[in-house]
Amino acid sequence: MAKIGVFDSGYGGLTILDAIRKELPQYDYLYLGDNARAPYGTHSFDVIYRYTLQAVKYLLEQDCALVILACNTASAKALRTIQQRDLPLIKDKKVNVLGVIRPTVEAVPAITQTGHVGILATPATVSSESYVLELEKIAPELTIVQQACPMWVPLIEAGEHNEPGAKYFIGKYLRELLAKDPQIDTIVLGCTHYPLLKDRIDEWLNYRQEIGESEFPAPKELPHITTIAQGELEAESLRDYLTRHPEYRDQLSQGGTCTYLTTENADRFAQSASIFLNTPIVAEHRDL
Ligand code: DGL
């Protein structure tokens, strides 16, 4: 019987895993964080593709029938090539790899009222234009602006995101995004690490709304902004996928377990992951 593999460059995929396990607790999961090589989001296509393929191959060797790329950067840069070039070479078992961008994009048109949408993501996801291209396909009337946030993943990986200094970088990227388009009413957190900053992002946005900042002279007239995190969207999408694809669902074991693997120090991973997940976990080290 097979497991569901969940992969991220580091801790961010835990936000997706957590939501998926709430929605589909019966399955067995194998989480892999490539913390030793995070962040991915500042690397080139070749590096992101190579690292992601190594992780996917590893999870498939551990009997995963499905691998969720719980990482926008890997989904934007490596998913299509892996699906089209690498998976067809695996002929002896039925396996698939799924990403997080499409389920997120599908939720956006129903949320925005102004039709102005902001995407916050890693530099690699922004440069791939994946969100812009996917949104143009389903809702060409929307105005999309993107903002790369290169410091956010390093802050989270270093456990510094709740420290006072993080506020500077949270405000910096939000200010840069909103300066490009003040009519934005919907912001996609297009990186699975960013939900760990969601409270602080919302706090900054509310502050801007209520008190204003010098570059926003009429804050009360600005639209209220909804931030979209991906966990629940991905969980619903996976549930739907398994309903439509019994060939994968029927391979999955149902022990309700989760095993955590990291390419970094296992104790450090377990300590941070326990805080993010709000429950104690143990982790094991693996080299890819
Ligand atoms: N969680 C990854 C994402 O969703 C972060 C990528 C990184 O390591 O920079 O994009």
Side-chain angles (χ1 to χ4, degrees):
M1 294 301 277
K3 293 183 177 185
I4 298 175
V6 179
F7 167 69
D8 181 45
S9 61
Y11 296 114
L14 295 171
T15 63
I16 302 290
L17 176 76
D18 195 33
I20 290 178
R21 289 195 74 202
K22 284 191 177 115
E23 182 81 18
L24 300 163
Q26 66 272 39
Y27 297 116
D28 292 306
Y29 295 87
L30 185 54
Y31 184 86
L32 173 61
D34 192 8
N35 301 73
R37 300 189 292 195
Y40 278 19
T42 43
H43 288 311
S44 62
F45 164 80
D46 287 344
V47 173
I48 296 167
Y49 166 67
R50 183 157 46 86
Y51 288 178
T52 305
L53 183 59
Q54 283 173 353
V56 166
K57 280 185 174 163
Y58 180 82
L59 288 168
L60 295 178
E61 280 162 20
Q62 307 309 304
D63 278 338
C64 292
L66 280 175
V67 174
I68 314 295
L69 297 185
C71 175
N72 290 265
T73 307
S75 301
K77 294 286 193 182
L79 177 63
R80 186 164 306 168
T81 313
I82 289 174
Q83 283 176 334
Q84 291 177 354
R85 197 164 77 187
D86 301 298
L87 288 187
L89 301 177
I90 303 171
K91 300 210 189 303
D92 54 330
K93 26 183 193 176
K94 188 98 184 118
V95 294
N96 204 2
V97 180
L98 308 172
V100 281
I101 293 179
R102 190 70 203 213
T104 311
V105 160
E106 282 169 0
V108 170
I111 296 171
T112 179
Q113 303 281 313
T114 64
H116 293 248
V117 177
I119 311 292
L120 297 170
T122 66
T125 302
V126 167
S127 72
S128 75
E129 302 250 311
S130 294
Y131 274 97
V132 178
L133 296 170
E134 290 294 327
L135 275 165
E136 268 170 8
K137 279 186 214 158
I138 62 166
E141 70 284 3
L142 298 182
T143 303
I144 317 293
V145 280
Q146 303 192 92
Q147 177 64 44
C149 312
M151 285 303 292
W152 285 4
V153 171
L155 282 168
I156 292 163
E157 288 291 312
E160 294 286 333
H161 56 294
N162 286 322
E163 298 300 319
K167 195 173 174 187
Y168 170 80
F169 283 107
I170 291 170
K172 174 177 162 59
Y173 301 136
L174 291 173
R175 205 175 280 123
E176 287 175 12
L177 175 74
L178 296 172
K180 290 176 198 167
D181 183 353
Q183 291 311 311
I184 287 172
D185 73 346
T186 304
I187 293 181
V188 175
L189 303 182
C191 168
T192 56
H193 281 69
Y194 297 174
L196 297 164
L197 294 172
K198 188 174 185 304
D199 288 349
R200 301 197 71 186
I201 291 169
D202 288 339
E203 193 185 3
W204 190 95
L205 292 170
N206 287 337
Y207 171 82
R208 162 187 175 262
Q209 193 79 22
E210 282 161 21
I211 296 152
E213 293 211 332
S214 54
E215 57 268 61
F216 300 112
K220 297 263 183 237
E221 287 156 31
L222 294 171
H224 172 78
I225 297 176
T226 304
T227 47
I228 305 179
Q230 300 175 292
E232 283 172 22
L233 301 175
E234 186 57 30
E236 278 165 29
S237 166
L238 180 59
R239 170 185 284 282
D240 182 50
Y241 183 87
L242 291 174
T243 307
R244 287 183 289 110
H245 293 276
E247 70 275 26
Y248 296 109
R249 187 192 61 217
D250 294 347
Q251 291 185 57
L252 299 174
S253 58
Q254 300 205 14
T257 65
C258 186
T259 305
Y260 297 88
L261 307 177
T262 175
T263 55
E264 246 297 343
N265 179 280
D267 291 340
R268 179 171 177 251
F269 180 90
Q271 205 177 3
S272 297
S274 302
I275 297 169
F276 297 152
L277 294 169
N278 219 4
T279 184
I281 64 132
V282 286
E284 296 164 42
H285 172 86
R286 289 290 185 282
D287 289 316
L288 293 180

